[in-house]
């Protein structure tokens, strides 16, 4: 048996890639090394990363009505996108970011550092973000939810 290792930068492409590979003649199994990599990352990443992983685990266990009203449980697609993002983000980019639940079932990343603020809302259909830095404000609505887009926004916040 021969195995093929494929590295994908944007984990949002994994689902379609798995489907395409499974349909190929002679393919008996498609799997990822994600779980092993995540466990290794938890051991070697810094305190910001560990705190974010713990927070995500806490938020994904919430059920409908978590705020006592008509709030929804966090969408599994949002949780998956955040997990994929946490596999690639350097610890330093997570500094000053806090993860919150959104009553619509989304995840919200909030950044505050002195007078700079930013926010990223992860939704199954995409993401919305704003950055207010050095007196300028940038806002955008992106139609695709991907790890690389979240990383790009965080890099903008830090000026990287």
């Amino acid at each position: 048996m021969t195995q093929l290792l494929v590295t994908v930068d944007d984990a949002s492409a994994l689902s379609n890639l798995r489907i395409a590979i499974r349909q190929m003649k002679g393919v008996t199994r498609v799997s990822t090394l994600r779980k092993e990599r995540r466990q290794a990352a938890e051991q070697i990443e810094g305190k910001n990363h560990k705190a974010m992983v713990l927070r995500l685990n806490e938020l994904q266990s919430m059920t409908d009505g978590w705020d006592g009203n008509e709030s929804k449980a966090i969408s599994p697609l949002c949780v998956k996108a955040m997990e994929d993002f946490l596999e690639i983000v350097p610890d330093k980019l997570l500094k000053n970011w806090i993860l919150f639940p959104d009553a619509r079932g989304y995840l919200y990343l909030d950044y505050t550092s002195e007078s700079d603020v930013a926010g990223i809302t992860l939704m199954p259909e995409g993401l919305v973000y704003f950055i207010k830095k050095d007196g300028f404000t940038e806002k955008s609505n992106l139609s695709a939810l991907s790890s690389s887009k979240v990383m790009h926004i965080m890099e903008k916040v830090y000026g990287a």
Side-chain angles (χ1 to χ4, degrees):
M1 173 173 60
T2 303
Q3 294 182 337
L4 171 68
L5 178 63
V6 177
T7 303
V8 179
D9 288 338
D10 188 352
S12 66
L14 281 177
S15 179
N16 291 335
L17 184 59
R18 284 183 190 160
I19 291 168
I21 292 173
R22 279 189 192 116
Q23 293 174 351
M24 297 175 74
K25 184 178 180 179
V27 174
T28 57
R29 186 176 75 130
V30 177
S31 62
T32 62
L33 301 175
R34 174 172 291 142
K35 185 175 180 182
E36 294 168 3
R37 185 167 185 253
R38 187 177 309 129
Q39 289 170 345
E42 288 174 358
Q43 293 174 0
I44 62 171
E45 294 290 341
K47 67 178 184 175
N48 299 314
H49 187 269
K50 288 178 183 177
M52 194 68 71
V53 169
L54 290 173
R55 180 67 171 156
L56 179 61
N57 289 339
E58 177 185 324
L59 296 180
Q60 76 181 16
S61 67
M62 295 178 2
T63 58
D64 287 345
W66 53 266
D67 72 348
N69 294 315
E70 296 182 19
S71 58
K72 296 181 182 176
I74 304 301
S75 161
L77 291 172
C78 294
V79 170
K80 173 90 171 74
M82 191 65 189
E83 287 174 340
D84 291 344
F85 171 68
L86 288 171
E87 287 184 5
I88 64 169
V89 66
D91 190 68
K92 66 183 179 180
L93 286 183
L94 292 174
K95 184 178 180 184
N96 298 324
W97 287 93
I98 301 172
L99 186 62
F100 291 100
D102 181 290
R104 298 167 291 181
Y106 307 150
L107 288 171
Y108 176 72
L109 283 159
D110 183 75
Y111 173 85
T112 305
S113 179
E114 298 178 16
S115 63
D116 297 338
V117 293
I120 305 170
T121 302
L122 306 175
M123 306 172 291
E125 63 276 3
L127 60 91
V128 176
Y129 76 92
F130 78 93
I131 301 169
K132 184 177 179 194
K133 184 175 180 164
D134 301 325
F136 296 101
T137 302
E138 174 184 342
K139 300 178 189 177
S140 190
N141 183 350
L142 304 174
S143 61
L145 179 56
S146 74
S147 300
S148 61
K149 289 182 181 181
V150 176
M151 180 88 80
H152 179 70
I153 295 164
M154 285 188 166
E155 288 170 340
K156 276 185 174 184
V157 168
Y158 282 103

